[in-house]
Amino acid sequence: MPTTQPQTLDAPDPIPALLADAFSANQDRPDPPSRERLSLELRSEIRRLLPKVQAQMDSITPRTRAWYARDTAIDAAREELSKGLSPSSLAACLTITELGRRLRALDDFAGGEP
């Protein structure tokens, strides 16, 4: 008698969609609630990836190119996280795009790890 095992469905990676939304924000100019939601989602993913990239950095020989690249990405992401979202539509969209850049850099280092 054949047995079937239920397949576990992995949740789709939210990062590609977040990046697409972040990089189109300047052109699309989402409404304030959408900008706030997108900002929160981007920040959440950045915070999730920061420890992974930090762990990589800690395991790499200090002062190498790979170490400096991760150090720079971590510092830039933390700096961007410290900034708020402006009430100005254009400024908020620019911030969202910058958060997208920081997320993409961290995701590249994390290797797309979930």
Side-chain angles (χ1 to χ4, degrees):
M1 171 188 322
T3 60
T4 58
Q5 304 241 347
Q7 294 180 346
T8 56
L9 298 175
D10 293 330
D13 185 8
I15 292 178
L18 281 174
L19 292 178
D21 289 346
F23 294 140
S24 67
N26 288 336
Q27 182 177 1
D28 296 344
R29 296 279 176 91
D31 60 357
S34 296
R35 288 193 304 259
E36 187 66 34
R37 177 198 51 78
L38 184 55
S39 173
L40 290 174
E41 290 177 10
L42 288 162
R43 290 169 191 276
S44 174
E45 287 298 318
I46 289 170
R47 286 185 185 102
R48 184 182 66 81
L49 291 177
L50 275 172
K52 292 179 181 186
V53 178
Q54 181 68 53
Q56 288 178 351
M57 187 179 132
D58 293 342
S59 68
I60 294 174
T61 304
R63 314 260 187 278
T64 60
R65 248 184 228 183
W67 186 89
Y68 276 117
R70 284 163 179 80
D71 184 53
T72 301
I74 289 169
D75 286 346
R78 286 183 177 150
E79 181 180 334
E80 202 57 39
L81 286 176
S82 71
K83 298 176 184 176
L85 202 57
S86 173
S88 160
S89 174
L90 178 59
C93 289
L94 290 171
T95 298
I96 287 170
T97 300
E98 192 61 29
L99 286 167
R101 286 187 190 104
R102 301 306 162 209
L103 176 59
R104 182 179 56 195
L106 293 175
D107 189 48
D108 286 348
F109 286 125
E113 287 182 32

